[in-house]
């Protein structure tokens, strides 16, 4: 059977399953070059079909997730939350939240169903839709390799929920929801509001808050965080009013004044600590309340783009293993919808060992045309695998920034060395000048990419079966030796956000990293996404070439081809 998953909110995306296998996935932003494009994913759908030489009439099930609307338990929860409100101000804020969701979600649902009506579908094609957090949950548990697990979802909001906790059994394909938080009591909105209050863009720059958090004591401003939202022992509860509104904007002057009485570092540290404490306390409470044994945890939702939170969850005593769905944000809802349809048919989705699910960068014709037309501008070398590795290592040793494009583009927010920028990890100054090259002002260090063997040596409490480290979705404590060898990828709190590479999974990348260690003594390379600030990660050869021309990278690798700009006599 062929399953087409579609989502059309935040980061619109599409994916394709052939029976149990995820074979293609892409977000609309990669085609339109508009960051977090939420327009209907026409280009993504076309790519998924074309990649497998399929037509829409070949699809058996079209699965949709972004907004479905009310269901009885959500309606019940809304009535319950409304009954707890004490003032007209609180009730007005609650009503504003519900009306806002309805207005946006109706238009998105209509957009999907209008598209369906215009298509020439097979008479046997089934169209199914799923609730927002239901899809997040399916995307997490179905794509993990756990036979059974707890499932936690958390984001700003979706279908009037902001967080859910469930249990999943892969054999029976049964997802049982045990807990849900209303969208007014949203930790996603809380962290996004902090982002906006500190002068950054909510839903985009939360990573800056995570990075700044390590530079101060969280206790200094923690009481202000608790005034906004808190875990009350049973549930997450927001203090609706001056200190908290379930929106990314609309800041009360009282809140703004208190925020401004602290430094950005103090607010960031408190917000990060409070988010961690709320989520870990809730999970521990739910395990106790439902008498659950220790088990694996699968997570999805935009909040889990926060790699520090993920580490705290993984370290809980009740959690044995952690899986973070690599496209954890709303772009991953397309996968969740398709997995929901698989689950309805008692079909078990296969674990995706790679997120390289998007288009290839280009072809031989592009390279041949480049050679024909730009002989005076570039040095272009077609190389064997071994020669390519040796040349990359030589260029890195000569302080070159290397842009890497190989194979199919990654799906999700993390660059996993399909569309990455590589550089040495011993030069801590690059956190300043390399970020400036890319017009970024990041506070987190770059992430390291390293072999499994080096991870075993330099990461504290490393386990080979830790899936979260394969997809760069969780921080890890590092040993002092690693911090000294690789300061550019070690944060001030002695953590790093690694991508761990196995020889059997990616032999070429493993060989490159091994060769680099032999030559430089460094157990990792910098891996940062191949894009300028506020742009999506690049997709194609020509987009990569722009970054060679503008000086973002010094050396460009397009699969087996290495390209450098020729130095003119005037340089």
């Amino acid at each position: 059977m062929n399953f087409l998953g579609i989502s059309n909110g935040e980061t619109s995306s599409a994916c394709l399953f052939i029976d149990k296998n995820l074979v293609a996935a892409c977000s609309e932003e990669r085609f339109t070059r508009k960051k977090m494009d939420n327009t209907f994913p026409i280009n993504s759908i076309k790519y998924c079909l074309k990649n497998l030489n399929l037509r829409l009439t070949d699809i058996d099930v079209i699965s949709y997730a972004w907004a479905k609307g009310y269901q009885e338990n959500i309606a019940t929860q809304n009535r319950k939350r409304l009954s707890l409100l004490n003032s007209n101000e609180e009730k007005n804020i609650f009503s504003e939240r519900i009306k806002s969701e309805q207005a946006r979600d109706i238009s998105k649902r209509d957009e999907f169903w209008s598209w369906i009506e215009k298509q020439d579908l097979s008479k046997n094609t089934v169209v199914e839709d799923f609730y927002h957090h239901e899809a997040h949950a399916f995307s997490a548990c179905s794509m993990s390799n756990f036979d059974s697990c707890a499932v936690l979802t958390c984001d700003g909001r979706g279908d009037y929920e902001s967080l859910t906790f469930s249990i999943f059994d892969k054999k029976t394909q049964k997802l049982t929801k045990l807990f849900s938080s209303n969208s007014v009591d949203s930790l996603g909105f809380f962290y996004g509001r902090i982002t906006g209050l500190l002068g950054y863009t909510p839903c985009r720059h939360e990573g800056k808050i995570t990075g700044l958090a390590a530079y101060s004591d969280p206790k200094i401003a923690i009481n202000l965080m608790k005034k906004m939202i808190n875990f009350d022992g049973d549930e997450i509860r927001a203090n609706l009013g001056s200190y908290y509104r379930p929106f990314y904007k609309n800041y009360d002057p009282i809140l703004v004044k208190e925020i401004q009485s602290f430094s950005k570092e103090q607010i960031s540290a408190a917000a990060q600590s409070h988010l961690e404490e709320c989520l870990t306390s809730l999970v521990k409470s739910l395990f106790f309340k439902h008498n659950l044994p220790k088990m694996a945890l699968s997570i999805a939702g935009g909040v889990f783009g926060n790699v520090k939170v993920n580490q705290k969850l993984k370290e809980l005593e009740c959690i044995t293993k952690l899986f973070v769905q690599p496209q954890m944000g709303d772009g991953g809802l397309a996968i969740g919808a398709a997995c929901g349809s698989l689950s309805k048919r008692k079909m078990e989705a296969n674990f995706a060992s790679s997120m390289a699910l998007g288009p290839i960068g280009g072809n031989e014709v592009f390279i041949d045309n480049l050679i024909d037309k730009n002989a005076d501008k570039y040095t272009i070398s077609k190389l064997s695998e071994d020669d390519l590795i040796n040349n990359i290592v030589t260029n890195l040793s000569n302080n070159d920034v290397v842009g890497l494009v190989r194979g199919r583009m990654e799906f999700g927010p993390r660059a996993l060395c399909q569309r990455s920028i590589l550089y040495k990890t011993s030069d801590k100054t690059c956190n300043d000048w390399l970020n400036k090259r890319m017009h970024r002002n990041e506070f987190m260090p770059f992430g390291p990419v390293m072999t499994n063997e080096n991870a075993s040596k330099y990461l504290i409490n490393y386990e080979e079966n830790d899936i979260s480290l394969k997809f760069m979705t969780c921080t890890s404590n590092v040993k002092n030796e690693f911090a000294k060898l690789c300061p550019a990828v070690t944060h001030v709190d002695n953590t790093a956000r690694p991508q761990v590479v196995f020889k059997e999974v990616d032999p070429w990348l493993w060989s490159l990293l091994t060769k680099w260690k032999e030559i430089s003594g460094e157990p990792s390379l910098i891996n940062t996404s191949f894009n300028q600030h506020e742009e999506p990660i690049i997709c194609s050869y020509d987009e990569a070439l722009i970054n060679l021309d503008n000086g973002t990278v010094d050396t460009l690798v397009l699969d087996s081809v290495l390209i450098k700009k020729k130095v003119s006599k005037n340089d």
Side-chain angles (χ1 to χ4, degrees):
M1 295 182 69
N2 300 326
F3 297 82
L4 178 66
I6 296 173
S7 62
N8 63 334
E10 189 205 73
T11 304
S12 293
S13 304
C15 73
L16 180 67
F17 279 79
I18 304 284
D19 293 326
K20 303 178 182 181
N21 299 310
L22 177 59
V23 295
C26 195
S27 296
E28 200 68 3
E29 65 169 18
R30 304 298 174 86
F31 299 103
T32 64
R33 310 307 304 156
K34 179 183 177 183
K35 185 74 171 177
M36 297 179 68
D37 191 347
N38 67 354
T39 58
F40 198 77
I42 294 296
N43 295 294
S44 304
I45 293 169
K46 287 180 179 178
Y47 158 70
C48 288
L49 296 174
K50 184 178 179 181
N51 187 61
L52 273 297
N53 295 315
L54 296 176
R55 297 171 298 174
L56 201 54
T57 51
D58 296 318
I59 299 300
D60 298 291
V61 183
I62 297 175
S63 311
Y64 171 67
W66 163 255
K68 185 173 181 177
Y70 265 90
Q71 61 180 357
E72 182 53 35
N73 66 336
I74 297 175
T76 301
Q77 187 202 66
N78 279 341
R79 287 193 293 269
K80 174 187 173 184
R81 185 65 174 100
L82 183 61
S83 71
L84 298 174
L85 302 178
N86 298 313
S87 69
N88 287 332
E89 181 185 20
E90 290 178 326
K91 292 176 181 177
N92 288 337
I93 292 172
F94 182 90
S95 177
E96 183 183 8
R97 174 70 261 159
I98 298 301
K99 289 178 180 177
S100 174
E101 291 192 38
Q102 288 175 338
R104 185 176 181 196
D105 292 352
I106 287 172
S107 66
K108 284 294 178 182
R109 287 200 303 273
D110 288 349
E111 182 181 54
F112 170 75
W113 289 108
S114 175
W115 178 81
I116 287 292
E117 290 175 2
K118 295 175 184 176
Q119 306 311 306
D120 182 22
L121 302 178
S122 166
K123 63 179 181 180
N124 296 318
T125 300
V126 177
V127 182
E128 300 174 343
D129 60 346
F130 294 85
Y131 293 104
H132 188 105
H133 281 267
E134 179 186 23
H136 271 318
F138 273 123
S139 81
C141 58
S142 297
M143 297 309 298
S144 78
N145 59 355
F146 305 143
D147 292 332
S148 61
C149 60
V151 191
L152 182 66
T153 72
C154 188
D155 62 10
R157 64 92 196 174
D159 278 320
Y160 313 101
E161 295 178 300
S162 62
L163 180 152
T164 65
F165 181 81
S166 309
I167 301 297
F168 180 70
D169 182 273
K170 189 164 280 191
K171 184 177 181 180
T172 62
Q173 288 294 303
K174 186 175 182 180
L175 178 69
T176 305
K177 183 163 66 174
L178 303 178
F179 177 84
S180 170
S181 277
N182 197 285
S183 59
V184 300
D185 302 307
S186 169
L187 290 170
F189 280 132
F190 159 71
Y191 207 79
R193 284 173 70 78
I194 293 295
T195 303
L197 283 160
L198 294 186
Y200 306 114
T201 305
C203 280
R204 234 178 245 203
H205 296 156
E206 278 75 7
K208 299 181 190 297
I209 309 305
T210 310
L212 281 170
Y215 292 93
S216 187
D217 182 351
K219 295 179 183 177
I220 296 172
I222 194 66
N223 287 334
L224 176 55
M225 304 301 115
K226 292 178 180 179
K227 285 182 182 179
M228 298 171 72
I229 192 169
N230 207 5
F231 175 63
D232 66 6
D234 291 308
E235 302 187 40
I236 305 295
R237 280 284 179 255
N239 179 23
L240 300 182
S242 297
Y243 287 96
Y244 178 92
R245 298 174 71 92
F247 299 92
Y248 291 123
K249 298 181 180 179
N250 300 334
Y251 311 129
D252 191 283
I254 294 174
L255 176 61
V256 172
K257 185 177 180 180
E258 286 207 41
I259 289 286
Q260 291 175 345
S261 68
F262 299 95
S263 69
K264 285 187 176 183
E265 291 81 3
Q266 290 167 344
I267 292 295
S268 297
Q272 179 66 28
S273 176
H274 193 51
L275 179 66
E276 294 169 1
E277 180 63 25
C278 285
L279 281 170
T280 54
S281 296
L282 175 64
V283 169
K284 287 187 291 185
S285 172
L286 289 168
F287 265 76
F288 178 78
K289 180 179 180 179
H290 294 281
N291 196 27
L292 300 175
K294 292 182 180 181
M295 66 174 69
L297 177 67
S298 295
I299 59 180
V303 165
F304 301 120
N306 191 312
V307 290
K308 297 292 292 182
V309 162
N310 299 346
Q311 182 181 1
K312 292 295 183 181
L313 288 168
K314 183 168 64 174
E315 292 172 349
L316 287 175
E317 187 176 341
C318 57
I319 303 303
T320 57
K321 297 177 185 178
L322 180 74
F323 174 69
V324 187
Q325 206 274 95
Q327 173 46 304
M328 69 290 292
D330 285 348
L333 290 171
I335 288 179
C339 286
S341 291
L342 282 163
S343 182
K344 286 179 70 172
R345 290 155 180 80
K346 305 299 181 184
M347 296 174 68
E348 180 181 320
N350 286 333
F351 171 66
S353 60
S354 171
M355 284 291 106
L357 298 163
I360 61 173
N363 51 38
E364 288 288 332
V365 174
F366 180 94
I367 299 299
D368 291 341
N369 289 337
L370 194 66
I371 294 172
D372 291 341
K373 298 177 182 179
N374 295 276
D376 295 334
K377 187 176 182 180
Y378 305 114
T379 299
I380 303 173
S381 306
K382 295 183 179 181
L383 302 169
S384 67
E385 287 193 358
D386 288 343
D387 287 342
L388 182 61
I389 287 173
N390 289 332
N391 272 270
I392 292 174
V393 168
T394 297
N395 284 296
L396 289 166
S397 300
N398 291 332
N399 302 319
D400 270 13
V401 176
V402 177
L404 184 63
V405 176
R406 39 177 215 131
R408 298 174 67 183
M409 180 181 63
E410 304 98 332
F411 181 55
R414 302 285 186 255
L416 300 170
C417 291
Q418 303 296 119
R419 304 289 188 276
S420 289
I421 290 175
L422 308 179
Y423 190 66
K424 61 174 62 177
T425 56
S426 55
D427 180 7
K428 190 174 183 178
T429 68
C430 74
N431 291 115
D432 180 44
W433 62 259
L434 183 52
N435 270 319
K436 286 181 178 177
R437 274 201 194 188
M438 297 179 288
H439 306 289
R440 302 176 185 171
N441 58 341
E442 301 299 329
F443 306 107
M444 288 284 277
F446 295 112
V449 56
M450 59 202 307
T451 64
N452 171 52
E453 291 78 7
N454 285 326
S456 299
K457 184 176 180 180
Y458 294 105
L459 302 184
I460 296 174
N461 297 325
Y462 173 70
E463 296 181 2
E464 285 192 357
N465 62 359
D466 187 345
I467 311 169
S468 66
L469 300 184
K470 296 179 182 179
F471 297 112
M472 214 179 222
T473 54
C474 190
T475 48
S476 177
N477 296 323
V478 302
K479 296 181 179 178
N480 290 333
E481 184 182 359
F482 181 86
K484 292 176 182 178
L485 290 169
C486 307
V489 291
T490 304
H491 205 16
V492 294
D493 58 0
N494 253 38
T495 64
R497 176 172 49 103
Q499 176 193 357
V500 177
V501 178
F502 289 75
K503 184 176 183 179
E504 60 271 24
V505 176
D506 194 337
W508 183 87
L509 183 56
W510 184 92
S511 296
L512 171 63
L513 295 167
T514 301
K515 185 71 174 181
W516 173 246
K517 176 67 161 55
E518 292 174 0
I519 298 300
S520 69
E522 296 179 29
S524 69
L525 280 169
I526 284 174
N527 168 21
T528 189
S529 58
F530 199 164
N531 62 288
Q532 294 281 324
H533 183 54
E534 295 299 326
E535 288 183 351
I537 298 174
I538 67 164
C539 178
S540 61
Y541 281 179
D542 55 348
E543 292 160 9
L545 198 63
I546 291 170
N547 285 274
L548 178 64
D549 289 338
N550 66 21
T552 299
V553 299
D554 307 305
T555 299
L556 180 61
V557 176
L558 304 179
D559 290 303
S560 62
V561 178
L562 189 143
I563 306 173
K564 290 180 71 73
K565 288 173 67 176
K566 288 184 177 179
V567 179
S568 69
K569 295 179 181 179
N570 296 324
D571 289 339

